[in-house]
């Protein structure tokens, strides 16, 4: 799913049997990885989806005019939620606001964590909250 490599390391090494699949890039319109991510989500007990922004979308002097997820992230969240076997945990990395209206009413999304930009120990902290 959209899991940063350092975050994935903590999930895999410390807590459970984790399967990683890239879903989409932050601001890309490419949906070619949706199918493989959906195939894994349909067989797992829970799905963790990490989405959000990075400092190429928001930074000092770089303001956004839209609070929607960039690229196809909203479409990816809806797609994975629809095909996931178990609940979806949505982890949102962002320094500013994002519109979570659709995600809040999605019955498959059991938790939404806003984590900001968590820094070097953020992966372990997020994993400890989830597990």
């Amino acid at each position: 799913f959209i899991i940063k490599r350092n975050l994935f390391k903590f999930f895999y090494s410390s807590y459970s049997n984790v399967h990683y699949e890239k879903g989409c890039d932050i601001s890309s319109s490419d949906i070619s990885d949706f199918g493989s991510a959906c195939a894994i989500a349909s067989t797992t007990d829970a799905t963790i989806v990490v989405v959000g922004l990075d400092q190429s979308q928001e930074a000092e002097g770089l303001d956004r005019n839209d609070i929607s997820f960039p690229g196809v992230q909203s479409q990816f969240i809806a797609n994975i939620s629809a095909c996931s076997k178990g609940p979806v945990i949505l982890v949102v990395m962002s320094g500013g606001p994002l519109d979570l209206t659709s995600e809040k009413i999605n019955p498959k999304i059991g938790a939404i964590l806003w984590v900001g930009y968590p820094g070097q120990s953020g992966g372990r902290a997020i994993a400890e909250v989830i597990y």
Side-chain angles (χ1 to χ4, degrees), residues 1-124:
F1 317 101
I2 308 176
I3 293 183
K4 309 278 188 201
R5 291 293 179 179
N6 62 344
L7 183 59
F8 175 71
K9 173 180 70 173
F10 289 110
F11 285 131
Y12 182 76
S13 64
S14 302
Y15 299 97
S16 66
N17 185 13
V18 174
H19 304 279
Y20 167 82
E21 187 63 42
K22 175 183 166 185
C24 62
D25 288 325
I26 290 175
S27 58
S28 172
S29 61
D30 181 12
I31 62 169
S32 62
D33 292 322
F34 280 24
S36 54
C38 188
I40 290 177
S42 68
T43 63
T44 60
D45 294 330
T47 301
I48 300 168
V49 178
V50 180
V51 294
L53 305 174
D54 65 15
Q55 293 184 344
S56 70
Q57 282 91 28
E58 62 178 3
E60 195 65 40
L62 181 62
D63 297 328
R64 296 180 294 130
N65 296 323
D66 185 354
I67 62 170
S68 300
F69 284 100
V72 294
Q73 291 185 62
S74 290
Q75 185 180 349
F76 177 70
I77 296 165
N79 183 278
I80 288 298
S81 298
C83 66
S84 68
K85 173 182 151 188
V88 173
I89 299 167
L90 185 64
V91 178
V92 180
M93 292 187 173
S94 170
L98 283 164
D99 182 5
L100 298 170
T101 304
S102 297
E103 292 74 18
K104 286 179 8 180
I105 62 171
N106 185 324
K108 290 295 288 266
I109 297 177
I112 299 173
L113 302 173
W114 180 84
V115 299
Y117 294 120
Q120 81 179 41
S121 298
R124 180 171 303 282

